Structures are given as C-alpha cells and as structure tokens.
Amino acid sequence: MDTYYRIKQVKSAKDKDLIEALDIYMHMVDVNSETSTTQVRDYIQNKYDDIRKMFFYILYVNDKVVGFAEYGYLPNSGVLFIDYICTNPRNPTFFYNFYQMLFEEINELLKKNYHHIKYIVIELSLKKDNENKYIDDDSNYFRQLLTMEGFKILRTPYYQPYYSNMKQELLSADFNIAINPLMNGLHDHTTVDKAFYLEILTDIYINHYAAWYEKFMDHTKVDQFFTDLLNKAEKEFTDKIEIDNITLVNCKLFQNGLCQQISTENITLKKKRTYYAKQWAMRIICMLFSIATGVFCYLERFDLSETFICALLTILSSAISLGQFIKERLFQK
C-alpha cells in the first residue's frame, strides 16, 4: 500500500482542518506545556508583526490529519524554536517525515528573506514522579527520536514558562534545553559559553515567550516575570558545564521513565553548592569519628560503648563516602 505524506502551512484560523489538528495537539502535549488553543488561533488569524516569526503546520498522511506543529524563528540568534510537534499516534515514521518536511520548507521560506537557521532548539521536561522517574511522555519520546538528529543537551539552568489557569499567573518549571547546531561548534565534552547561552536564552524568553504572552496579559507583569526569570537563570549559571550528546539517554526504557543509571538534571550554582556541601560534611563527619575512635584506642578504652559507637559510625560514614565515589565514577555516564 502506498503512503503519501504532505504538510500544509496554516495561514487562517478558519482552516477547516485546524480544529482536528489542534485536537491532536491538546491530547499529545504534556500537562502545563500546552498553550490555549484560543491563543493559537488568535495568533494565526492576526499575523502579529513580531521580531520572531511563527509557523503553524498540519501533517497529512494519505490526506488524513495526523499531526500539528508550531515553530518560531528567532533572527537575533538564528534559532528555530520547536514549540510543538505532535502526531497521533506517536509514530517515529510520522515524526521523522514531519520533522524533515517542516525543516526543509521553513528553511526555504526563511532564505527567501535572507534569514538562516543556526540552531534548532526544543525543551525537554525534567518532571519526575515519587520514584524519581521522568514521567512526561512527550519529552521522553523526543529524547529517543532526537538521538538521530544530532541534538545536544545543555545542562544549564533553564526554566520553561507556562500559564497556570488555576492560579491565573505565569509560572515556570525545570526543563532541559536540547539544541541541534547546524554550524560548527557545540562539540561534545566542551563547555557551554555563558555569553552564548545568555544570548540564546534572552532571545527565547523575550522575543519568543514574552512577545506571545504580551498579546494576552498585562504587559508590565509579563516584562517583570521574564526579567526575573533571566536573572534567575544567570545567577544559577555555573562554569564548566559540559555539552552532552543526547545519545547518552538513548535507552529503550527511557520512554517509560525507567532508566535509573542516567541523569539529565540541569547543573545550577545552587545544586553545585549543595552537592559540595554534602560531600565536605560527610568527609568532616568521617574524620571526626575516626579521630574519636583513634583517641579511645590510644587510651585503651576498648570496653566503652562510646568507642563501639564511634567505630561503627566511622565505618558507616566511610562506606557512604566510598559508595558515592563508586557511583559517580562508574555509573554516572
């Protein structure tokens, strides 16, 4: 049986297939990552003249609507930002066809206006359950599929903004930034340059997110929210964050959140300080108990319960420190 794929750019909110495409979008996007379909339709209809250029597409397979995508191009940084790319069902064949067709068409449209794509960027959720497993289906699915597209994970401080209908305000959540460089640079195991990162982050927050929310919310509140978010990310940025190849999370079980031996957690200044504080606290405790045990032994006070307790705690703290060392050196990839 022949299978025919095609995409169509949505230029009118009255497009007869948009309702079906948005229905797919609403059922496939992770919770709190979705944008109001009313806002999406408004953006399509009004064609706002922003610095950032928006693209909305529908995927057809044998003339049946099976997907929806929303992209934004940020000319200041050359970033093609993937807001959403959804298919129903989640199918690698559908995804890769959709992804490649979108890139080729958007790239050609941009070149006509002398714009060029330097990076493709997508956000990946770090939401976990009580068993410390990543649980957002879309993000776990994309980690699998983006492996083949050369994406890198920047484990830098990143907070995805979203609008909470319950609280009627903008909030943020911990996310990864995954980036596909279409030019030289961002090689594996090199460090993320702070100036480069903040340039991209500013473009995303101000020219992509803030430009959108300002159409539907109080301008002053939106500006203050994103100013604070940028300051938070900059404050939490720490040097020597390595660029990781996304193949580090290429595990068949990852889609179900079952990969325990890997971590994509972002590295922030606060987390780094907490980590080193815990490490030094454990070393100091181990040293103190070792000294106490040595003193009791020197005084030949072997029959005291204090001697036994100190010796036991020395062994316990040493075992914990050794366990942490082995875990970090052998199992953290």
CSV table of all heavy atoms in Angstrom, one decimal, residues 96 122 124-126 128 134 136-155 176-179 188-189 243-266 331-333:
chain,number,residue,atom,x,y,z
A,96,TYR,N,9.5,11.6,12.0
A,96,TYR,CA,10.7,12.0,11.1
A,96,TYR,C,10.3,12.6,9.8
A,96,TYR,O,10.9,13.5,9.3
A,96,TYR,CB,11.6,10.7,10.9
A,96,TYR,CG,12.4,10.4,12.1
A,96,TYR,CD1,12.3,9.1,12.7
A,96,TYR,CD2,13.3,11.3,12.7
A,96,TYR,CE1,13.0,8.7,13.8
A,96,TYR,CE2,14.0,10.9,13.8
A,96,TYR,CZ,13.9,9.7,14.4
A,96,TYR,OH,14.6,9.3,15.5
A,122,ILE,N,14.7,22.7,21.3
A,122,ILE,CA,13.5,22.2,21.8
A,122,ILE,C,13.7,22.0,23.3
A,122,ILE,O,14.8,21.9,23.8
A,122,ILE,CB,13.1,20.8,21.2
A,122,ILE,CG1,11.7,20.4,21.5
A,122,ILE,CG2,14.2,19.8,21.5
A,122,ILE,CD1,11.2,19.2,20.7
A,124,LEU,N,12.8,20.0,26.9
A,124,LEU,CA,12.5,18.7,27.4
A,124,LEU,C,12.3,18.7,28.9
A,124,LEU,O,13.1,19.2,29.7
A,124,LEU,CB,13.7,17.7,27.1
A,124,LEU,CG,14.1,17.5,25.6
A,124,LEU,CD1,15.4,16.7,25.5
A,124,LEU,CD2,13.0,16.9,24.8
A,125,SER,N,11.1,18.2,29.3
A,125,SER,CA,10.7,18.2,30.7
A,125,SER,C,11.6,17.4,31.6
A,125,SER,O,12.1,16.3,31.2
A,125,SER,CB,9.3,17.7,30.8
A,125,SER,OG,8.9,17.6,32.1
A,126,LEU,N,11.8,17.9,32.8
A,126,LEU,CA,12.5,17.1,33.9
A,126,LEU,C,11.6,16.7,35.0
A,126,LEU,O,12.0,16.4,36.1
A,126,LEU,CB,13.6,18.0,34.4
A,126,LEU,CG,14.8,18.3,33.5
A,126,LEU,CD1,15.8,19.3,34.1
A,126,LEU,CD2,15.5,17.0,33.1
A,128,LYS,N,9.4,14.6,37.4
A,128,LYS,CA,9.6,13.3,37.9
A,128,LYS,C,8.4,12.9,38.8
A,128,LYS,O,7.7,13.7,39.4
A,128,LYS,CB,10.9,13.1,38.7
A,128,LYS,CG,12.2,13.3,37.9
A,128,LYS,CD,13.4,13.1,38.7
A,128,LYS,CE,14.7,13.1,37.9
A,128,LYS,NZ,15.9,12.9,38.7
A,134,TYR,N,11.4,10.0,35.2
A,134,TYR,CA,10.9,11.1,34.3
A,134,TYR,C,9.5,10.6,33.8
A,134,TYR,O,9.4,9.5,33.3
A,134,TYR,CB,11.8,11.4,33.2
A,134,TYR,CG,13.2,11.9,33.6
A,134,TYR,CD1,14.3,11.1,33.6
A,134,TYR,CD2,13.3,13.2,34.1
A,134,TYR,CE1,15.5,11.5,34.1
A,134,TYR,CE2,14.5,13.7,34.5
A,134,TYR,CZ,15.6,12.8,34.5
A,134,TYR,OH,16.8,13.3,34.9
A,136,ASP,N,7.0,12.8,31.8
A,136,ASP,CA,6.3,13.4,30.7
A,136,ASP,C,6.5,12.7,29.4
A,136,ASP,O,7.6,12.5,29.0
A,136,ASP,CB,6.8,14.9,30.6
A,136,ASP,CG,6.1,15.8,31.6
A,136,ASP,OD1,5.0,15.4,32.2
A,136,ASP,OD2,6.5,16.9,31.8
A,137,ASP,N,5.4,12.1,28.9
A,137,ASP,CA,5.5,11.3,27.7
A,137,ASP,C,6.2,11.9,26.5
A,137,ASP,O,7.0,11.3,25.9
A,137,ASP,CB,4.1,10.8,27.3
A,137,ASP,CG,3.5,9.9,28.4
A,137,ASP,OD1,4.2,9.3,29.1
A,137,ASP,OD2,2.2,9.8,28.4
A,138,ASP,N,5.8,13.1,26.2
A,138,ASP,CA,6.3,13.8,25.0
A,138,ASP,C,7.8,14.0,25.1
A,138,ASP,O,8.6,13.7,24.2
A,138,ASP,CB,5.7,15.2,24.9
A,138,ASP,CG,4.8,15.3,23.6
A,138,ASP,OD1,4.5,14.3,23.0
A,138,ASP,OD2,4.5,16.4,23.2
A,139,SER,N,8.3,14.5,26.3
A,139,SER,CA,9.7,14.7,26.4
A,139,SER,C,10.5,13.4,26.4
A,139,SER,O,11.6,13.3,25.8
A,139,SER,CB,10.0,15.5,27.7
A,139,SER,OG,9.5,16.8,27.6
A,140,ASN,N,10.0,12.3,27.0
A,140,ASN,CA,10.7,11.1,27.0
A,140,ASN,C,10.8,10.5,25.6
A,140,ASN,O,11.7,9.9,25.1
A,140,ASN,CB,10.1,10.1,27.9
A,140,ASN,CG,10.3,10.4,29.4
A,140,ASN,OD1,11.3,11.0,29.7
A,140,ASN,ND2,9.5,9.9,30.3
A,141,TYR,N,9.7,10.7,24.8
A,141,TYR,CA,9.6,10.3,23.4
A,141,TYR,C,10.6,11.0,22.6
A,141,TYR,O,11.3,10.4,21.8
A,141,TYR,CB,8.1,10.5,23.0
A,141,TYR,CG,7.8,10.1,21.6
A,141,TYR,CD1,8.0,8.8,21.1
A,141,TYR,CD2,7.4,11.0,20.6
A,141,TYR,CE1,7.7,8.4,19.8
A,141,TYR,CE2,7.0,10.7,19.4
A,141,TYR,CZ,7.2,9.4,18.9
A,141,TYR,OH,6.9,9.0,17.7
A,142,PHE,N,10.7,12.3,22.8
A,142,PHE,CA,11.6,13.1,22.0
A,142,PHE,C,13.0,12.8,22.3
A,142,PHE,O,13.9,12.9,21.4
A,142,PHE,CB,11.3,14.6,22.2
A,142,PHE,CG,10.1,15.1,21.6
A,142,PHE,CD1,9.3,16.1,22.2
A,142,PHE,CD2,9.6,14.6,20.4
A,142,PHE,CE1,8.1,16.6,21.7
A,142,PHE,CE2,8.4,15.1,19.9
A,142,PHE,CZ,7.7,16.1,20.5
A,143,ARG,N,13.3,12.5,23.5
A,143,ARG,CA,14.7,12.1,23.8
A,143,ARG,C,15.2,10.9,23.0
A,143,ARG,O,16.3,10.8,22.6
A,143,ARG,CB,14.9,11.8,25.3
A,143,ARG,CG,14.9,13.0,26.2
A,143,ARG,CD,15.2,12.7,27.6
A,143,ARG,NE,15.4,13.9,28.5
A,143,ARG,CZ,14.4,14.4,29.2
A,143,ARG,NH1,13.2,13.9,29.2
A,143,ARG,NH2,14.7,15.5,29.8
A,144,GLN,N,14.2,10.0,22.7
A,144,GLN,CA,14.5,8.9,21.8
A,144,GLN,C,14.7,9.3,20.4
A,144,GLN,O,15.7,9.0,19.8
A,144,GLN,CB,13.4,7.9,21.9
A,144,GLN,CG,13.3,7.1,23.2
A,144,GLN,CD,14.4,6.1,23.4
A,144,GLN,OE1,14.6,5.2,22.6
A,144,GLN,NE2,15.3,6.4,24.4
A,145,LEU,N,13.8,10.1,19.9
A,145,LEU,CA,13.8,10.4,18.5
A,145,LEU,C,14.9,11.4,18.1
A,145,LEU,O,15.5,11.3,17.0
A,145,LEU,CB,12.4,11.0,18.1
A,145,LEU,CG,11.2,10.0,18.3
A,145,LEU,CD1,9.9,10.7,17.8
A,145,LEU,CD2,11.4,8.7,17.5
A,146,LEU,N,15.2,12.4,19.0
A,146,LEU,CA,16.2,13.4,18.7
A,146,LEU,C,17.6,12.9,18.7
A,146,LEU,O,18.5,13.5,18.2
A,146,LEU,CB,16.0,14.6,19.6
A,146,LEU,CG,14.7,15.3,19.6
A,146,LEU,CD1,14.6,16.4,20.7
A,146,LEU,CD2,14.4,15.9,18.2
A,147,THR,N,17.8,11.6,19.2
A,147,THR,CA,19.1,11.0,19.2
A,147,THR,C,19.6,11.0,17.8
A,147,THR,O,20.8,11.2,17.6
A,147,THR,CB,19.0,9.6,19.7
A,147,THR,OG1,18.5,9.6,21.1
A,147,THR,CG2,20.3,8.8,19.6
A,148,MET,N,18.8,10.7,16.8
A,148,MET,CA,19.2,10.5,15.4
A,148,MET,C,19.4,11.8,14.7
A,148,MET,O,19.9,11.9,13.6
A,148,MET,CB,18.2,9.7,14.7
A,148,MET,CG,17.9,8.3,15.3
A,148,MET,SD,19.4,7.3,15.4
A,148,MET,CE,19.7,7.0,13.7
A,149,GLU,N,19.1,12.9,15.3
A,149,GLU,CA,19.1,14.2,14.7
A,149,GLU,C,20.3,15.1,15.1
A,149,GLU,O,20.4,16.3,14.8
A,149,GLU,CB,17.8,15.0,14.8
A,149,GLU,CG,16.6,14.3,14.2
A,149,GLU,CD,16.7,14.2,12.7
A,149,GLU,OE1,17.4,15.0,12.1
A,149,GLU,OE2,16.2,13.2,12.1
A,150,GLY,N,21.2,14.6,16.0
A,150,GLY,CA,22.4,15.3,16.4
A,150,GLY,C,22.1,16.4,17.4
A,150,GLY,O,22.9,17.3,17.6
A,151,PHE,N,21.1,16.2,18.2
A,151,PHE,CA,20.8,17.2,19.3
A,151,PHE,C,21.7,17.0,20.5
A,151,PHE,O,22.2,15.9,20.8
A,151,PHE,CB,19.4,17.1,19.8
A,151,PHE,CG,18.4,17.8,18.9
A,151,PHE,CD1,17.9,17.3,17.7
A,151,PHE,CD2,17.9,19.0,19.4
A,151,PHE,CE1,17.0,18.0,17.0
A,151,PHE,CE2,17.0,19.8,18.6
A,151,PHE,CZ,16.5,19.2,17.4
A,152,LYS,N,22.1,18.1,21.1
A,152,LYS,CA,22.9,18.1,22.3
A,152,LYS,C,22.1,18.6,23.5
A,152,LYS,O,21.2,19.4,23.3
A,152,LYS,CB,24.1,19.1,22.2
A,152,LYS,CG,24.8,19.0,20.8
A,152,LYS,CD,25.6,17.7,20.6
A,152,LYS,CE,26.3,17.7,19.3
A,152,LYS,NZ,27.0,16.4,19.1
A,153,ILE,N,22.4,18.1,24.7
A,153,ILE,CA,21.7,18.6,25.9
A,153,ILE,C,22.6,19.7,26.6
A,153,ILE,O,23.7,19.4,26.8
A,153,ILE,CB,21.4,17.5,26.8
A,153,ILE,CG1,20.2,16.6,26.3
A,153,ILE,CG2,21.0,18.0,28.2
A,153,ILE,CD1,19.8,15.5,27.2
A,154,LEU,N,22.0,20.8,26.8
A,154,LEU,CA,22.7,21.8,27.6
A,154,LEU,C,22.2,21.7,29.1
A,154,LEU,O,21.1,22.1,29.3
A,154,LEU,CB,22.5,23.2,27.1
A,154,LEU,CG,22.8,23.5,25.6
A,154,LEU,CD1,22.6,24.9,25.2
A,154,LEU,CD2,24.2,23.0,25.3
A,155,ARG,N,23.0,21.2,29.9
A,155,ARG,CA,22.5,21.0,31.3
A,155,ARG,C,22.7,22.3,32.1
A,155,ARG,O,23.2,22.3,33.2
A,155,ARG,CB,23.2,19.8,32.0
A,155,ARG,CG,22.9,18.5,31.3
A,155,ARG,CD,23.7,17.3,31.8
A,155,ARG,NE,23.3,17.1,33.2
A,155,ARG,CZ,24.0,16.2,34.0
A,155,ARG,NH1,25.0,15.5,33.5
A,155,ARG,NH2,23.6,16.1,35.2
A,176,ASN,N,15.1,20.8,30.4
A,176,ASN,CA,16.4,20.8,29.6
A,176,ASN,C,16.2,21.6,28.4
A,176,ASN,O,15.1,21.7,27.8
A,176,ASN,CB,16.7,19.4,29.2
A,176,ASN,CG,17.5,18.6,30.2
A,176,ASN,OD1,17.3,17.4,30.3
A,176,ASN,ND2,18.4,19.2,31.0
A,177,ILE,N,17.3,22.2,27.9
A,177,ILE,CA,17.3,22.7,26.5
A,177,ILE,C,18.1,21.7,25.7
A,177,ILE,O,19.2,21.4,26.0
A,177,ILE,CB,18.1,24.1,26.5
A,177,ILE,CG1,17.1,25.2,26.9
A,177,ILE,CG2,18.6,24.4,25.1
A,177,ILE,CD1,16.1,25.6,25.8
A,178,ALA,N,17.5,21.3,24.6
A,178,ALA,CA,18.2,20.4,23.7
A,178,ALA,C,18.4,21.2,22.4
A,178,ALA,O,17.5,21.9,21.9
A,178,ALA,CB,17.4,19.1,23.4
A,179,ILE,N,19.6,21.2,21.9
A,179,ILE,CA,20.0,22.1,20.7
A,179,ILE,C,20.7,21.3,19.6
A,179,ILE,O,21.6,20.5,19.9
A,179,ILE,CB,20.8,23.3,21.2
A,179,ILE,CG1,21.1,24.3,20.1
A,179,ILE,CG2,22.1,22.8,21.9
A,179,ILE,CD1,21.6,25.6,20.6
A,188,ASP,N,30.8,17.8,21.6
A,188,ASP,CA,30.6,17.0,22.8
A,188,ASP,C,31.8,17.2,23.8
A,188,ASP,O,33.0,17.4,23.3
A,188,ASP,CB,30.6,15.5,22.5
A,188,ASP,CG,29.3,15.2,21.7
A,188,ASP,OD1,28.4,16.0,21.6
A,188,ASP,OD2,29.3,14.1,21.1
A,189,HIS,N,31.5,17.3,25.1
A,189,HIS,CA,32.5,17.4,26.1
A,189,HIS,C,33.3,18.7,26.1
A,189,HIS,O,34.4,18.8,26.6
A,189,HIS,CB,33.5,16.2,26.1
A,189,HIS,CG,32.8,14.9,26.1
A,189,HIS,ND1,31.9,14.5,27.2
A,189,HIS,CD2,32.7,13.8,25.2
A,189,HIS,CE1,31.4,13.3,26.9
A,189,HIS,NE2,31.9,12.9,25.8
A,243,ILE,N,28.8,20.1,27.4
A,243,ILE,CA,27.8,19.8,26.4
A,243,ILE,C,27.7,18.3,26.3
A,243,ILE,O,28.7,17.6,26.0
A,243,ILE,CB,28.1,20.5,25.1
A,243,ILE,CG1,28.1,22.0,25.2
A,243,ILE,CG2,27.1,20.0,24.0
A,243,ILE,CD1,28.7,22.7,24.1
A,244,ASP,N,26.5,17.7,26.5
A,244,ASP,CA,26.4,16.3,26.4
A,244,ASP,C,25.6,15.9,25.1
A,244,ASP,O,24.7,16.6,24.7
A,244,ASP,CB,25.5,15.7,27.5
A,244,ASP,CG,26.3,15.8,28.9
A,244,ASP,OD1,27.5,15.8,28.8
A,244,ASP,OD2,25.6,15.9,29.9
A,245,ASN,N,26.1,14.8,24.5
A,245,ASN,CA,25.4,14.3,23.3
A,245,ASN,C,24.1,13.6,23.8
A,245,ASN,O,24.1,12.9,24.8
A,245,ASN,CB,26.2,13.3,22.6
A,245,ASN,CG,25.7,13.0,21.2
A,245,ASN,OD1,24.5,12.7,21.0
A,245,ASN,ND2,26.6,13.0,20.2
A,246,ILE,N,23.0,13.9,23.2
A,246,ILE,CA,21.7,13.3,23.6
A,246,ILE,C,21.7,11.8,23.5
A,246,ILE,O,20.8,11.2,24.1
A,246,ILE,CB,20.5,14.0,22.9
A,246,ILE,CG1,19.3,13.9,23.7
A,246,ILE,CG2,20.3,13.3,21.5
A,246,ILE,CD1,18.2,14.7,23.2
A,247,THR,N,22.6,11.2,22.8
A,247,THR,CA,22.7,9.7,22.8
A,247,THR,C,23.0,9.1,24.1
A,247,THR,O,22.8,7.9,24.3
A,247,THR,CB,23.8,9.2,21.8
A,247,THR,OG1,25.0,9.9,22.1
A,247,THR,CG2,23.4,9.6,20.4
A,248,LEU,N,23.4,10.0,25.1
A,248,LEU,CA,23.7,9.5,26.4
A,248,LEU,C,22.4,9.0,27.1
A,248,LEU,O,22.4,8.2,28.1
A,248,LEU,CB,24.3,10.6,27.3
A,248,LEU,CG,25.7,11.0,26.9
A,248,LEU,CD1,26.1,12.2,27.8
A,248,LEU,CD2,26.7,9.9,27.1
A,249,VAL,N,21.2,9.4,26.6
A,249,VAL,CA,20.0,8.9,27.1
A,249,VAL,C,19.2,8.0,26.1
A,249,VAL,O,18.0,7.9,26.1
A,249,VAL,CB,19.1,10.1,27.5
A,249,VAL,CG1,19.7,10.8,28.7
A,249,VAL,CG2,18.8,11.0,26.4
A,250,ASN,N,20.0,7.4,25.2
A,250,ASN,CA,19.4,6.5,24.2
A,250,ASN,C,19.2,5.2,24.8
A,250,ASN,O,19.9,4.2,24.5
A,250,ASN,CB,20.3,6.5,23.0
A,250,ASN,CG,19.6,5.7,21.9
A,250,ASN,OD1,18.4,5.5,21.8
A,250,ASN,ND2,20.4,5.1,20.9
A,251,CYS,N,18.2,5.1,25.6
A,251,CYS,CA,17.8,3.8,26.3
A,251,CYS,C,16.4,3.4,26.0
A,251,CYS,O,15.5,4.3,26.0
A,251,CYS,CB,18.0,4.0,27.8
A,251,CYS,SG,17.2,2.7,28.8
A,252,LYS,N,16.2,2.2,25.6
A,252,LYS,CA,14.8,1.8,25.2
A,252,LYS,C,13.8,2.0,26.3
A,252,LYS,O,12.6,2.1,26.1
A,252,LYS,CB,14.9,0.3,24.7
A,252,LYS,CG,15.6,0.1,23.4
A,252,LYS,CD,15.6,-1.3,23.0
A,252,LYS,CE,16.3,-1.5,21.7
A,252,LYS,NZ,16.3,-2.9,21.2
A,253,LEU,N,14.3,1.9,27.5
A,253,LEU,CA,13.4,2.1,28.7
A,253,LEU,C,13.1,3.5,29.0
A,253,LEU,O,12.3,3.8,29.9
A,253,LEU,CB,14.0,1.3,29.9
A,253,LEU,CG,14.2,-0.2,29.8
A,253,LEU,CD1,14.8,-0.7,31.0
A,253,LEU,CD2,12.8,-0.9,29.6
A,254,PHE,N,13.8,4.4,28.4
A,254,PHE,CA,13.7,5.8,28.8
A,254,PHE,C,12.3,6.4,28.6
A,254,PHE,O,11.8,7.2,29.4
A,254,PHE,CB,14.7,6.7,28.1
A,254,PHE,CG,15.0,8.0,28.9
A,254,PHE,CD1,16.0,8.1,29.8
A,254,PHE,CD2,14.2,9.1,28.7
A,254,PHE,CE1,16.3,9.2,30.5
A,254,PHE,CE2,14.4,10.3,29.4
A,254,PHE,CZ,15.4,10.3,30.3
A,255,GLN,N,11.7,5.9,27.5
A,255,GLN,CA,10.4,6.4,27.2
A,255,GLN,C,9.4,6.1,28.3
A,255,GLN,O,8.4,6.9,28.5
A,255,GLN,CB,9.9,5.8,25.9
A,255,GLN,CG,8.6,6.5,25.4
A,255,GLN,CD,8.2,6.0,24.0
A,255,GLN,OE1,9.0,5.5,23.3
A,255,GLN,NE2,6.9,6.1,23.6
A,256,ASN,N,9.6,5.1,29.0
A,256,ASN,CA,8.8,4.7,30.2
A,256,ASN,C,9.3,5.3,31.5
A,256,ASN,O,8.8,4.9,32.5
A,256,ASN,CB,8.6,3.2,30.2
A,256,ASN,CG,7.9,2.6,29.0
A,256,ASN,OD1,7.0,3.2,28.5
A,256,ASN,ND2,8.4,1.5,28.5
A,257,GLY,N,10.4,6.1,31.4
A,257,GLY,CA,10.9,6.7,32.6
A,257,GLY,C,11.6,5.7,33.5
A,257,GLY,O,11.7,5.9,34.7
A,258,LEU,N,12.2,4.6,32.9
A,258,LEU,CA,12.7,3.5,33.8
A,258,LEU,C,14.2,3.5,33.8
A,258,LEU,O,14.8,2.7,34.5
A,258,LEU,CB,12.2,2.2,33.3
A,258,LEU,CG,10.7,2.0,33.3
A,258,LEU,CD1,10.3,0.6,32.7
A,258,LEU,CD2,10.2,2.1,34.7
A,259,CYS,N,14.9,4.4,33.1
A,259,CYS,CA,16.4,4.4,33.1
A,259,CYS,C,16.9,5.1,34.4
A,259,CYS,O,16.8,6.3,34.5
A,259,CYS,CB,16.9,5.2,31.9
A,259,CYS,SG,17.0,4.2,30.4
A,260,GLN,N,17.4,4.3,35.2
A,260,GLN,CA,17.9,4.8,36.5
A,260,GLN,C,19.3,5.2,36.5
A,260,GLN,O,19.8,5.9,37.4
A,260,GLN,CB,17.7,3.7,37.6
A,260,GLN,CG,16.2,3.3,37.8
A,260,GLN,CD,15.4,4.4,38.4
A,260,GLN,OE1,15.8,5.0,39.3
A,260,GLN,NE2,14.2,4.6,37.8
A,261,GLN,N,20.1,4.7,35.5
A,261,GLN,CA,21.6,4.9,35.6
A,261,GLN,C,22.0,6.2,34.9
A,261,GLN,O,23.2,6.5,34.9
A,261,GLN,CB,22.3,3.7,34.9
A,261,GLN,CG,22.2,3.8,33.3
A,261,GLN,CD,21.0,3.2,32.7
A,261,GLN,OE1,20.0,3.1,33.4
A,261,GLN,NE2,21.0,2.8,31.5
A,262,ILE,N,21.1,7.0,34.5
A,262,ILE,CA,21.5,8.3,33.8
A,262,ILE,C,20.7,9.4,34.4
A,262,ILE,O,19.7,9.3,35.1
A,262,ILE,CB,21.1,8.2,32.3
A,262,ILE,CG1,19.7,7.9,32.1
A,262,ILE,CG2,22.0,7.2,31.6
A,262,ILE,CD1,19.2,8.0,30.7
A,263,SER,N,21.3,10.6,34.2
A,263,SER,CA,20.6,11.8,34.7
A,263,SER,C,20.8,12.9,33.7
A,263,SER,O,21.8,13.1,33.1
A,263,SER,CB,21.2,12.3,36.0
A,263,SER,OG,20.7,13.5,36.4
A,264,THR,N,19.7,13.6,33.4
A,264,THR,CA,19.8,14.8,32.5
A,264,THR,C,19.5,16.1,33.3
A,264,THR,O,19.2,17.1,32.8
A,264,THR,CB,18.7,14.7,31.4
A,264,THR,OG1,17.4,14.6,32.0
A,264,THR,CG2,19.0,13.5,30.6
A,265,GLU,N,19.6,16.0,34.7
A,265,GLU,CA,19.4,17.1,35.5
A,265,GLU,C,20.3,18.3,35.1
A,265,GLU,O,21.5,18.1,34.9
A,265,GLU,CB,19.6,16.8,37.0
A,265,GLU,CG,18.6,15.8,37.5
A,265,GLU,CD,17.2,16.4,37.6
A,265,GLU,OE1,17.1,17.6,37.8
A,265,GLU,OE2,16.2,15.7,37.5
A,266,ASN,N,19.7,19.5,35.1
A,266,ASN,CA,20.5,20.7,34.9
A,266,ASN,C,21.4,21.0,36.0
A,266,ASN,O,21.1,20.7,37.2
A,266,ASN,CB,19.6,21.9,34.6
A,266,ASN,CG,18.8,21.8,33.3
A,266,ASN,OD1,19.3,21.1,32.4
A,266,ASN,ND2,17.6,22.4,33.3
A,331,PHE,N,29.1,4.7,37.4
A,331,PHE,CA,27.7,4.5,36.9
A,331,PHE,C,27.1,5.8,36.3
A,331,PHE,O,26.1,5.7,35.6
A,331,PHE,CB,26.8,4.0,38.0
A,331,PHE,CG,27.2,2.6,38.6
A,331,PHE,CD1,27.7,2.5,39.8
A,331,PHE,CD2,27.0,1.5,37.8
A,331,PHE,CE1,28.1,1.3,40.3
A,331,PHE,CE2,27.4,0.3,38.2
A,331,PHE,CZ,28.0,0.2,39.5
A,332,GLN,N,27.7,6.9,36.6
A,332,GLN,CA,27.1,8.2,36.0
A,332,GLN,C,27.8,8.4,34.7
A,332,GLN,O,29.0,8.7,34.6
A,332,GLN,CB,27.4,9.4,37.0
A,332,GLN,CG,26.6,9.3,38.2
A,332,GLN,CD,25.2,9.5,38.0
A,332,GLN,OE1,24.7,10.2,37.1
A,332,GLN,NE2,24.3,9.0,38.8
A,333,LYS,N,27.0,8.3,33.6
A,333,LYS,CA,27.6,8.4,32.3
A,333,LYS,C,27.1,9.8,31.7
A,333,LYS,O,26.1,10.3,32.0
A,333,LYS,CB,27.0,7.3,31.4
A,333,LYS,CG,27.5,5.9,31.8
A,333,LYS,CD,28.9,5.8,31.8
A,333,LYS,CE,29.4,4.4,32.2
A,333,LYS,NZ,30.8,4.2,32.2
